[in-house]
Amino acid sequence: MDLKSQINLEKLPKHVAVIMDGNGRWAKQHGKPRVFGHRNGVTAVRDTTEAAAELGIEYLTLYAFSTENWNRPKLEVSALMRLLVETLNKEIQTLNKNNIRLKAIGDINKLPGRTHDALLQGIENTAKNDRMTLVLALNYSAKWELTEAARKLAKAAKEGTLDPDQLNEQHISNALATQGIPDPELLIRTSGESRISNFLLWQIAYAELYFTDIFWPDFGKENFYQAIIDFQRRERRFGKISEQLIP
Ligand code: FPP
C-alpha cells in the first residue's frame, strides 16, 4: 500500500516544523561544493511544502538560516542569501497558485537588503492566501526569540501595562515570533543528528520528535508521509495515562 493512503487525514498535526540538515554532507558525497547541496535542498523544500499543503497541514515551519549560521565561511553565507532571493522570486507565483501564505520568524532586519526585500515582497504578495502558512525561520534562534520576548514583557511591566504577578504562559506565547501560530506537534530533523539546535524551544514542549538519517536534499514527499505516519502511530498523552485518553 502506498504511504500517502496510510495517513489518517482526521488526525493530522496542525503544525509541522523541520530542521533541514545535511546539505553540506550530501554535496560532499557527490564530490561537489556545499552550495550544490543547498541548491538541491530547494527541491526538498518544494516537495515538502507541496506534500504538506496537499495533505491539509495548516502550518509548515522550515529552519532555513540560524543566527549561528553567520559563522560559516563568508562565501557560503552569501551564496545562501543569493539562493534565498532567487528561490523567493521564483516560487512566489507557485505559492500563490497553491494558495499558500508566506511568513518569516527571526531577526530579519539583519538580513542583507536584497534578501530582506525579497522576503517582505513574498510575505506581502501571499498575505491573503489561506490554505497553508509556510513559515521560514531566517536569522532565527530560540534564545534570541526568548530574549526578545523577555525584553517586551519587561518593558510592558515597566510601563505598567503588565502586572508581573499576573504573568502567565499565554503572555510568553504572545510575545514570541510565532504569536498566533499553534505550537508544532511534530518536529522533523534530517541527516542523522539528534539535536534541537536552538529551534523553537518554547513551542516544542509537547512536540513529537522525528529524526531520520536522510540528508535534506534527498528528503521527498514519501519521507514526509513516513514522518506523519510515525507521528500518528505514537500515543500523545500530555502527562496523562493511557486510560484517560479519549479513543
Ligand atoms: C543545513 O545543511 C541547511 C541549511 C543551513 C540551509 C537550508 C537552506 C536551503 C535548503 C535553501 C533555501 C531554503 C528556502 C526555504 C528557500 P548543512 O549545510 O548544515 O549540512 P551539513 O550539516 O551536512 O554541513
Side-chain angles (χ1 to χ4, degrees), residues 164-183:
D165 289 326
Q166 300 298 318
L167 180 75
N168 58 35
E169 291 183 6
Q170 202 53 50
H171 288 117
I172 298 179
S173 289
N174 289 343
L176 298 175
T178 49
Q179 185 214 359
I181 300 176
D183 287 344

Side-chain angles (χ1 to χ4, degrees), residues 184-188 204 206-210 230-231 234-238:
E185 290 145 282
L186 171 63
L187 172 69
I188 299 172
I204 59 164
Y206 279 104
E208 297 292 335
L209 308 180
Y210 180 85
D230 196 88
F231 167 84
R234 301 187 198 183
E235 186 182 63
R236 313 199 72 226
R237 290 203 299 273
F238 303 99

